Tab-separated table of all heavy atoms in Angstrom:
chain	number	residue	atom	x	y	z
A	227	MET	N	0.853	-1.185	-0.022
A	227	MET	CA	0.069	-0.001	0.041
A	227	MET	C	0.839	1.222	0.081
A	227	MET	O	1.809	1.395	0.734
A	227	MET	CB	-0.878	-0.015	1.236
A	227	MET	CG	-1.745	1.198	1.291
A	227	MET	SD	-2.911	0.972	2.750
A	227	MET	CE	-3.778	2.457	2.481
A	228	ASP	N	0.573	2.179	-0.860
A	228	ASP	CA	1.290	3.434	-0.898
A	228	ASP	C	0.902	4.429	0.139
A	228	ASP	O	-0.300	4.611	0.386
A	228	ASP	CB	1.084	4.115	-2.273
A	228	ASP	CG	1.649	3.256	-3.383
A	228	ASP	OD1	2.462	2.377	-3.170
A	228	ASP	OD2	1.219	3.565	-4.568
A	229	LEU	N	1.889	5.013	0.889
A	229	LEU	CA	1.578	5.956	1.903
A	229	LEU	C	1.577	7.315	1.406
A	229	LEU	O	0.915	8.165	1.949
A	229	LEU	CB	2.611	5.759	3.061
A	229	LEU	CG	2.798	4.498	3.605
A	229	LEU	CD1	3.953	4.362	4.657
A	229	LEU	CD2	1.537	4.065	4.382
A	230	PHE	N	2.287	7.581	0.309
A	230	PHE	CA	2.379	8.949	-0.266
A	230	PHE	C	2.113	8.870	-1.805
A	230	PHE	O	2.377	7.873	-2.449
A	230	PHE	CB	3.756	9.481	0.026
A	230	PHE	CG	4.084	9.608	1.416
A	230	PHE	CD1	4.908	8.580	2.046
A	230	PHE	CD2	3.653	10.664	2.177
A	230	PHE	CE1	5.186	8.645	3.406
A	230	PHE	CE2	3.946	10.744	3.547
A	230	PHE	CZ	4.692	9.728	4.101
A	231	CYS	N	1.660	9.961	-2.334
A	231	CYS	CA	1.465	10.081	-3.768
A	231	CYS	C	2.753	10.181	-4.473
A	231	CYS	O	3.680	10.914	-3.981
A	231	CYS	CB	0.640	11.320	-4.031
A	231	CYS	SG	0.376	11.699	-5.832
A	232	ASP	N	3.016	9.404	-5.529
A	232	ASP	CA	4.221	9.400	-6.141
A	232	ASP	C	4.515	10.534	-7.155
A	232	ASP	O	5.521	10.784	-7.713
A	232	ASP	CB	4.590	8.072	-6.866
A	232	ASP	CG	3.687	7.820	-7.992
A	232	ASP	OD1	2.792	8.573	-8.203
A	232	ASP	OD2	3.746	6.710	-8.645
A	233	HIS	N	3.510	11.395	-7.223
A	233	HIS	CA	3.611	12.571	-8.048
A	233	HIS	C	3.727	13.824	-7.308
A	233	HIS	O	4.750	14.644	-7.625
A	233	HIS	CB	2.392	12.739	-9.034
A	233	HIS	CG	2.426	13.852	-9.985
A	233	HIS	ND1	3.277	13.880	-11.026
A	233	HIS	CD2	1.859	15.037	-9.996
A	233	HIS	CE1	3.134	14.899	-11.728
A	233	HIS	NE2	2.297	15.682	-11.126
A	234	CYS	N	2.973	14.147	-6.312
A	234	CYS	CA	2.955	15.345	-5.537
A	234	CYS	C	3.738	15.116	-4.180
A	234	CYS	O	4.170	16.106	-3.618
A	234	CYS	CB	1.637	15.954	-5.362
A	234	CYS	SG	0.538	15.014	-4.275
A	235	GLY	N	3.808	13.919	-3.672
A	235	GLY	CA	4.464	13.678	-2.432
A	235	GLY	C	3.553	13.782	-1.141
A	235	GLY	O	4.092	13.580	-0.112
A	236	ARG	N	2.399	14.244	-1.379
A	236	ARG	CA	1.461	14.422	-0.179
A	236	ARG	C	1.050	12.993	0.304
A	236	ARG	O	1.005	12.091	-0.564
A	236	ARG	CB	0.317	15.216	-0.539
A	236	ARG	CG	0.721	16.659	-0.804
A	236	ARG	CD	-0.473	17.659	-0.966
A	236	ARG	NE	-1.698	16.952	-1.482
A	236	ARG	CZ	-2.336	17.330	-2.642
A	236	ARG	NH1	-1.884	18.454	-3.247
A	236	ARG	NH2	-3.293	16.727	-2.975
A	237	PRO	N	0.552	12.849	1.460
A	237	PRO	CA	-0.020	11.675	1.966
A	237	PRO	C	-1.147	11.118	0.954
A	237	PRO	O	-1.967	11.917	0.512
A	237	PRO	CB	-0.648	11.878	3.385
A	237	PRO	CG	0.194	13.034	3.772
A	237	PRO	CD	0.499	13.882	2.493
A	238	ALA	N	-1.180	9.852	0.690
A	238	ALA	CA	-2.044	9.229	-0.273
A	238	ALA	C	-3.489	9.443	0.076
A	238	ALA	O	-4.367	9.669	-0.830
A	238	ALA	CB	-1.733	7.763	-0.452
A	239	GLU	N	-3.816	9.373	1.450
A	239	GLU	CA	-5.182	9.561	1.791
A	239	GLU	C	-5.606	11.028	2.036
A	239	GLU	O	-6.716	11.296	2.381
A	239	GLU	CB	-5.501	8.745	3.061
A	239	GLU	CG	-4.725	9.197	4.250
A	239	GLU	CD	-3.354	8.492	4.391
A	239	GLU	OE1	-3.051	7.543	3.651
A	239	GLU	OE2	-2.581	9.012	5.141
A	240	ASP	N	-4.717	11.983	1.791
A	240	ASP	CA	-4.991	13.399	1.944
A	240	ASP	C	-5.510	14.018	0.695
A	240	ASP	O	-4.735	14.392	-0.199
A	240	ASP	CB	-3.617	13.981	2.430
A	240	ASP	CG	-3.885	15.430	2.654
A	240	ASP	OD1	-4.932	15.951	2.988
A	240	ASP	OD2	-2.910	16.319	2.546
A	241	GLY	N	-6.792	14.094	0.589
A	241	GLY	CA	-7.368	14.772	-0.468
A	241	GLY	C	-7.569	13.920	-1.867
A	241	GLY	O	-7.231	12.767	-1.791
A	242	ASP	N	-7.889	14.595	-2.888
A	242	ASP	CA	-8.081	13.920	-4.180
A	242	ASP	C	-6.807	14.008	-5.014
A	242	ASP	O	-6.243	15.120	-5.248
A	242	ASP	CB	-9.219	14.618	-4.822
A	242	ASP	CG	-9.615	13.968	-6.162
A	242	ASP	OD1	-9.300	12.736	-6.386
A	242	ASP	OD2	-10.198	14.629	-7.080
A	243	HIS	N	-6.412	12.919	-5.504
A	243	HIS	CA	-5.155	12.814	-6.353
A	243	HIS	C	-5.577	12.597	-7.820
A	243	HIS	O	-4.668	12.023	-8.501
A	243	HIS	CB	-4.213	11.825	-5.832
A	243	HIS	CG	-3.580	12.240	-4.546
A	243	HIS	ND1	-2.635	13.090	-4.316
A	243	HIS	CD2	-3.984	11.983	-3.195
A	243	HIS	CE1	-2.302	13.293	-3.076
A	243	HIS	NE2	-3.147	12.612	-2.383
A	244	ALA	N	-6.697	12.970	-8.290
A	244	ALA	CA	-7.105	12.659	-9.575
A	244	ALA	C	-6.219	13.386	-10.594
A	244	ALA	O	-5.770	12.808	-11.692
A	244	ALA	CB	-8.514	13.131	-9.857
A	245	ALA	N	-5.805	14.670	-10.361
A	245	ALA	CA	-4.920	15.329	-11.175
A	245	ALA	C	-3.514	14.647	-11.203
A	245	ALA	O	-2.891	14.689	-12.336
A	245	ALA	CB	-4.733	16.756	-10.781
A	246	CYS	N	-3.097	14.225	-10.109
A	246	CYS	CA	-1.821	13.458	-10.079
A	246	CYS	C	-1.853	12.205	-10.832
A	246	CYS	O	-0.925	11.850	-11.625
A	246	CYS	CB	-1.462	13.080	-8.581
A	246	CYS	SG	-1.151	14.482	-7.594
A	247	LEU	N	-2.951	11.415	-10.817
A	247	LEU	CA	-3.017	10.205	-11.641
A	247	LEU	C	-3.168	10.574	-13.087
A	247	LEU	O	-2.493	9.854	-13.937
A	247	LEU	CB	-4.404	9.474	-11.272
A	247	LEU	CG	-4.362	8.797	-9.830
A	247	LEU	CD1	-5.680	8.340	-9.466
A	247	LEU	CD2	-3.316	7.756	-9.743
A	248	ALA	N	-3.754	11.590	-13.454
A	248	ALA	CA	-3.747	12.084	-14.912
A	248	ALA	C	-2.383	12.427	-15.381
A	248	ALA	O	-1.977	12.063	-16.499
A	248	ALA	CB	-4.725	13.229	-15.066
A	249	ALA	N	-1.601	13.142	-14.521
A	249	ALA	CA	-0.266	13.577	-14.934
A	249	ALA	C	0.700	12.393	-15.054
A	249	ALA	O	1.609	12.300	-15.920
A	249	ALA	CB	0.230	14.565	-13.921
A	250	ARG	N	0.410	11.322	-14.182
A	250	ARG	CA	1.266	10.162	-14.242
A	250	ARG	C	1.178	9.325	-15.463
A	250	ARG	O	1.988	8.480	-15.683
A	250	ARG	CB	1.056	9.321	-12.941
A	250	ARG	CG	1.637	9.793	-11.709
A	250	ARG	CD	3.088	9.564	-11.625
A	250	ARG	NE	3.310	8.088	-11.333
A	250	ARG	CZ	3.949	7.271	-12.185
A	250	ARG	NH1	4.472	7.744	-13.272
A	250	ARG	NH2	3.983	5.994	-11.882
A	251	THR	N	0.183	9.546	-16.209
A	251	THR	CA	0.099	8.776	-17.506
A	251	THR	C	1.138	9.286	-18.527
A	251	THR	O	1.500	8.555	-19.371
A	251	THR	CB	-1.333	8.955	-18.151
A	251	THR	OG1	-1.569	10.394	-18.410
A	251	THR	CG2	-2.479	8.389	-17.300
A	252	MET	N	1.697	10.500	-18.310
A	252	MET	CA	2.590	10.996	-19.226
A	252	MET	C	3.973	11.338	-18.580
A	252	MET	O	4.993	11.567	-19.236
A	252	MET	CB	2.134	12.460	-19.703
A	252	MET	CG	0.836	12.331	-20.553
A	252	MET	SD	1.070	11.403	-22.070
A	252	MET	CE	1.998	12.692	-23.024
A	253	GLU	N	4.153	11.145	-17.235
A	253	GLU	CA	5.287	11.585	-16.497
A	253	GLU	C	5.665	10.347	-15.630
A	253	GLU	O	4.894	9.700	-15.148
A	253	GLU	CB	5.129	12.734	-15.654
A	253	GLU	CG	4.790	14.060	-16.455
A	253	GLU	CD	4.587	15.245	-15.590
A	253	GLU	OE1	4.762	15.169	-14.345
A	253	GLU	OE2	4.085	16.291	-16.063
A	254	PRO	N	6.988	10.241	-15.282
A	254	PRO	CA	7.522	9.261	-14.324
A	254	PRO	C	7.170	9.831	-12.895
A	254	PRO	O	6.797	10.901	-12.715
A	254	PRO	CB	8.924	9.299	-14.569
A	254	PRO	CG	9.330	10.587	-15.122
A	254	PRO	CD	8.082	11.028	-15.880
A	255	PRO	N	7.295	8.851	-11.901
A	255	PRO	CA	7.069	9.298	-10.508
A	255	PRO	C	8.132	10.253	-10.095
A	255	PRO	O	9.225	10.245	-10.610
A	255	PRO	CB	7.062	7.965	-9.715
A	255	PRO	CG	7.939	7.098	-10.608
A	255	PRO	CD	7.645	7.447	-12.038
A	256	ARG	N	7.809	11.117	-9.081
A	256	ARG	CA	8.837	12.004	-8.556
A	256	ARG	C	9.169	11.787	-7.190
A	256	ARG	O	10.210	12.246	-6.646
A	256	ARG	CB	8.225	13.503	-8.756
A	256	ARG	CG	7.963	13.851	-10.190
A	256	ARG	CD	9.221	13.894	-11.015
A	256	ARG	NE	8.954	14.137	-12.445
A	256	ARG	CZ	9.856	14.168	-13.368
A	256	ARG	NH1	11.157	13.900	-13.005
A	256	ARG	NH2	9.481	14.478	-14.581
A	257	TYR	N	8.255	11.123	-6.417
A	257	TYR	CA	8.476	10.827	-5.035
A	257	TYR	C	8.356	9.319	-4.726
A	257	TYR	O	7.464	8.671	-5.327
A	257	TYR	CB	7.377	11.609	-4.104
A	257	TYR	CG	7.643	13.186	-4.152
A	257	TYR	CD1	6.948	13.846	-5.016
A	257	TYR	CD2	8.420	13.681	-3.305
A	257	TYR	CE1	7.154	15.201	-5.212
A	257	TYR	CE2	8.653	15.099	-3.320
A	257	TYR	CZ	8.019	15.932	-4.275
A	257	TYR	OH	8.116	17.202	-4.326
A	258	CYS	N	9.024	8.845	-3.721
A	258	CYS	CA	8.889	7.539	-3.336
A	258	CYS	C	7.540	7.306	-2.592
A	258	CYS	O	7.271	7.947	-1.703
A	258	CYS	CB	10.000	7.149	-2.383
A	258	CYS	SG	9.924	5.398	-1.819
A	259	PRO	N	6.695	6.390	-3.016
A	259	PRO	CA	5.499	6.144	-2.402
A	259	PRO	C	5.450	5.595	-1.052
A	259	PRO	O	4.510	5.525	-0.288
A	259	PRO	CB	4.618	5.158	-3.397
A	259	PRO	CG	5.816	4.515	-4.184
A	259	PRO	CD	6.863	5.513	-4.190
A	260	GLN	N	6.684	5.028	-0.588
A	260	GLN	CA	6.843	4.425	0.701
A	260	GLN	C	7.441	5.407	1.735
A	260	GLN	O	6.979	5.335	2.863
A	260	GLN	CB	7.768	3.207	0.616
A	260	GLN	CG	7.079	2.150	-0.257
A	260	GLN	CD	8.026	0.999	-0.431
A	260	GLN	OE1	9.116	0.910	0.169
A	260	GLN	NE2	7.653	0.009	-1.261
A	261	CYS	N	8.359	6.266	1.281
A	261	CYS	CA	8.980	7.021	2.333
A	261	CYS	C	8.959	8.580	2.046
A	261	CYS	O	9.480	9.459	2.736
A	261	CYS	CB	10.427	6.738	2.507
A	261	CYS	SG	11.450	6.950	1.008
A	262	ARG	N	8.413	8.987	0.806
A	262	ARG	CA	8.223	10.432	0.441
A	262	ARG	C	9.537	11.112	-0.041
A	262	ARG	O	9.671	12.298	-0.226
A	262	ARG	CB	7.628	11.245	1.417
A	262	ARG	CG	7.059	12.530	1.038
A	262	ARG	CD	6.318	13.235	2.216
A	262	ARG	NE	5.671	14.423	1.724
A	262	ARG	CZ	5.091	15.169	2.558
A	262	ARG	NH1	5.073	15.048	3.828
A	262	ARG	NH2	4.439	16.311	2.059
A	263	ARG	N	10.606	10.285	-0.143
A	263	ARG	CA	11.851	10.915	-0.661
A	263	ARG	C	11.876	11.209	-2.063
A	263	ARG	O	11.110	10.558	-2.840
A	263	ARG	CB	13.087	9.894	-0.412
A	263	ARG	CG	13.584	9.874	0.941
A	263	ARG	CD	14.778	8.954	1.059
A	263	ARG	NE	15.411	8.798	2.365
A	263	ARG	CZ	14.998	8.308	3.403
A	263	ARG	NH1	13.903	7.556	3.320
A	263	ARG	NH2	15.614	8.385	4.597
A	264	ARG	N	12.521	12.348	-2.492
A	264	ARG	CA	12.523	12.718	-3.900
A	264	ARG	C	13.444	11.563	-4.626
A	264	ARG	O	14.377	11.152	-4.200
A	264	ARG	CB	13.271	14.031	-3.966
A	264	ARG	CG	13.161	14.621	-5.322
A	264	ARG	CD	11.889	15.564	-5.353
A	264	ARG	NE	12.065	16.403	-6.509
A	264	ARG	CZ	11.107	16.609	-7.494
A	264	ARG	NH1	9.967	16.055	-7.243
A	264	ARG	NH2	11.315	17.295	-8.429
A	265	LEU	N	12.796	11.179	-5.801
A	265	LEU	CA	13.411	10.077	-6.605
A	265	LEU	C	14.467	10.663	-7.538
A	265	LEU	O	14.329	11.873	-7.999
A	265	LEU	CB	12.353	9.266	-7.407
A	265	LEU	CG	11.375	8.567	-6.575
A	265	LEU	CD1	10.348	7.957	-7.584
A	265	LEU	CD2	12.039	7.492	-5.814
A	266	VAL	N	15.427	9.819	-7.858
A	266	VAL	CA	16.429	10.188	-8.869
A	266	VAL	C	15.840	9.639	-10.188
A	266	VAL	O	15.606	8.338	-10.254
A	266	VAL	CB	17.794	9.606	-8.690
A	266	VAL	CG1	18.672	9.887	-9.857
A	266	VAL	CG2	18.358	10.143	-7.420
A	267	VAL	N	15.410	10.480	-11.079
A	267	VAL	CA	14.604	10.038	-12.326
A	267	VAL	C	15.502	10.293	-13.490
A	267	VAL	O	16.020	11.364	-13.773
A	267	VAL	CB	13.258	10.815	-12.425
A	267	VAL	CG1	12.449	10.386	-13.656
A	267	VAL	CG2	12.501	10.614	-11.239
A	268	GLN	N	15.481	9.332	-14.379
A	268	GLN	CA	16.109	9.362	-15.720
A	268	GLN	C	15.116	9.133	-16.759
A	268	GLN	O	14.505	8.025	-16.735
A	268	GLN	CB	17.369	8.572	-15.807
A	268	GLN	CG	18.055	8.719	-17.219
A	268	GLN	CD	19.357	7.897	-17.229
A	268	GLN	OE1	19.568	7.114	-16.388
A	268	GLN	NE2	20.120	8.148	-18.191
A	269	VAL	N	14.954	10.012	-17.741
A	269	VAL	CA	13.939	9.845	-18.836
A	269	VAL	C	14.763	9.660	-20.132
A	269	VAL	O	15.597	10.510	-20.463
A	269	VAL	CB	13.029	10.958	-18.900
A	269	VAL	CG1	12.043	10.881	-20.094
A	269	VAL	CG2	12.230	11.218	-17.623
A	270	THR	N	14.486	8.592	-20.888
A	270	THR	CA	15.005	8.425	-22.225
A	270	THR	C	13.809	8.522	-23.277
A	270	THR	O	12.650	8.499	-22.842
A	270	THR	CB	15.685	7.094	-22.364
A	270	THR	OG1	14.817	6.070	-22.101
A	270	THR	CG2	16.782	6.908	-21.276
A	271	PRO	N	14.140	8.579	-24.566
A	271	PRO	CA	13.070	8.583	-25.480
A	271	PRO	C	11.934	7.479	-25.375
A	271	PRO	O	10.785	7.613	-25.768
A	271	PRO	CB	13.784	8.600	-26.886
A	271	PRO	CG	15.052	9.199	-26.502
A	271	PRO	CD	15.447	8.653	-25.215
A	272	ARG	N	12.375	6.259	-24.967
A	272	ARG	CA	11.519	5.163	-24.995
A	272	ARG	C	10.984	4.704	-23.534
A	272	ARG	O	10.102	3.938	-23.437
A	272	ARG	CB	12.161	3.989	-25.601
A	272	ARG	CG	12.457	4.164	-27.078
A	272	ARG	CD	12.909	2.909	-27.695
A	272	ARG	NE	13.141	3.107	-29.061
A	272	ARG	CZ	12.313	2.723	-30.007
A	272	ARG	NH1	11.190	2.248	-29.769
A	272	ARG	NH2	12.624	2.961	-31.351
A	273	SER	N	11.687	5.191	-22.452
A	273	SER	CA	11.212	4.660	-21.200
A	273	SER	C	11.820	5.653	-20.135
A	273	SER	O	12.337	6.777	-20.401
A	273	SER	CB	11.897	3.318	-20.900
A	273	SER	OG	13.375	3.438	-20.833
A	274	TRP	N	11.656	5.385	-18.828
A	274	TRP	CA	12.157	5.979	-17.725
A	274	TRP	C	12.604	5.075	-16.607
A	274	TRP	O	12.181	3.931	-16.610
A	274	TRP	CB	11.089	7.110	-17.224
A	274	TRP	CG	9.731	6.415	-16.737
A	274	TRP	CD1	8.659	6.266	-17.551
A	274	TRP	CD2	9.508	5.855	-15.506
A	274	TRP	NE1	7.711	5.636	-16.799
A	274	TRP	CE2	8.189	5.346	-15.593
A	274	TRP	CE3	10.135	5.624	-14.331
A	274	TRP	CZ2	7.567	4.651	-14.520
A	274	TRP	CZ3	9.644	5.042	-13.298
A	274	TRP	CH2	8.355	4.573	-13.372
A	275	SER	N	13.334	5.625	-15.729
A	275	SER	CA	13.844	4.878	-14.619
A	275	SER	C	13.777	5.845	-13.447
A	275	SER	O	14.087	6.988	-13.540
A	275	SER	CB	15.154	4.218	-14.682
A	275	SER	OG	16.207	5.187	-14.799
A	276	ALA	N	13.467	5.362	-12.255
A	276	ALA	CA	13.347	6.077	-10.998
A	276	ALA	C	13.947	5.255	-9.914
A	276	ALA	O	13.811	4.129	-9.764
A	276	ALA	CB	11.900	6.509	-10.649
A	277	ARG	N	14.736	6.080	-9.011
A	277	ARG	CA	15.423	5.221	-7.961
A	277	ARG	C	15.365	6.037	-6.597
A	277	ARG	O	15.587	7.216	-6.556
A	277	ARG	CB	16.852	5.114	-8.219
A	277	ARG	CG	17.639	4.301	-7.202
A	277	ARG	CD	19.121	4.097	-7.690
A	277	ARG	NE	19.736	5.292	-8.310
A	277	ARG	CZ	20.305	6.207	-7.576
A	277	ARG	NH1	20.372	6.142	-6.303
A	277	ARG	NH2	20.949	7.217	-8.235
A	278	CYS	N	14.881	5.329	-5.598
A	278	CYS	CA	14.837	5.831	-4.215
A	278	CYS	C	16.143	5.404	-3.628
A	278	CYS	O	16.552	4.278	-3.701
A	278	CYS	CB	13.684	5.358	-3.500
A	278	CYS	SG	13.613	5.789	-1.716
A	279	SER	N	16.754	6.283	-2.807
A	279	SER	CA	17.983	5.996	-2.128
A	279	SER	C	17.895	4.889	-1.139
A	279	SER	O	18.837	4.220	-0.825
A	279	SER	CB	18.691	7.219	-1.556
A	279	SER	OG	17.770	7.748	-0.530
A	280	VAL	N	16.597	4.710	-0.610
A	280	VAL	CA	16.360	3.610	0.392
A	280	VAL	C	15.732	2.356	-0.200
A	280	VAL	O	16.138	1.270	0.111
A	280	VAL	CB	15.484	4.284	1.516
A	280	VAL	CG1	15.155	3.165	2.495
A	280	VAL	CG2	16.222	5.357	2.224
A	281	HIS	N	14.704	2.612	-1.097
A	281	HIS	CA	13.867	1.465	-1.534
A	281	HIS	C	14.308	0.915	-2.898
A	281	HIS	O	13.689	-0.004	-3.363
A	281	HIS	CB	12.406	1.904	-1.549
A	281	HIS	CG	11.965	2.194	-0.108
A	281	HIS	ND1	11.744	3.440	0.360
A	281	HIS	CD2	11.708	1.412	0.947
A	281	HIS	CE1	11.380	3.353	1.639
A	281	HIS	NE2	11.298	2.165	2.011
A	282	GLY	N	15.256	1.527	-3.526
A	282	GLY	CA	15.656	0.909	-4.892
A	282	GLY	C	14.971	1.492	-6.021
A	282	GLY	O	14.490	2.615	-5.994
A	283	ALA	N	15.107	0.691	-7.114
A	283	ALA	CA	14.692	1.312	-8.438
A	283	ALA	C	13.390	0.782	-8.886
A	283	ALA	O	12.927	-0.377	-8.528
A	283	ALA	CB	15.802	0.992	-9.497
A	284	SER	N	12.719	1.495	-9.830
A	284	SER	CA	11.622	1.108	-10.593
A	284	SER	C	11.650	1.607	-11.982
A	284	SER	O	12.408	2.638	-12.162
A	284	SER	CB	10.256	1.489	-9.942
A	284	SER	OG	10.167	2.847	-9.913
A	285	GLY	N	10.957	1.079	-12.913
A	285	GLY	CA	11.092	1.550	-14.291
A	285	GLY	C	9.756	1.434	-15.071
A	285	GLY	O	8.855	0.781	-14.526
A	286	GLY	N	9.762	2.173	-16.203
A	286	GLY	CA	8.454	2.090	-16.899
A	286	GLY	C	8.707	2.365	-18.329
A	286	GLY	O	9.773	2.528	-18.864
């Protein structure tokens, strides 16, 4: 279960994140959903990768 929104970094249960979900269709995550740390994000023409210093990497 995600504790934080991976787009805006606010708590997941805090308000409506419909705009965040819409933005995430075109953009990679910016915050770790587990600890709220800012992710190291790399975007290439075909994909993206994101890495949290504590929880590791994810890709899309």
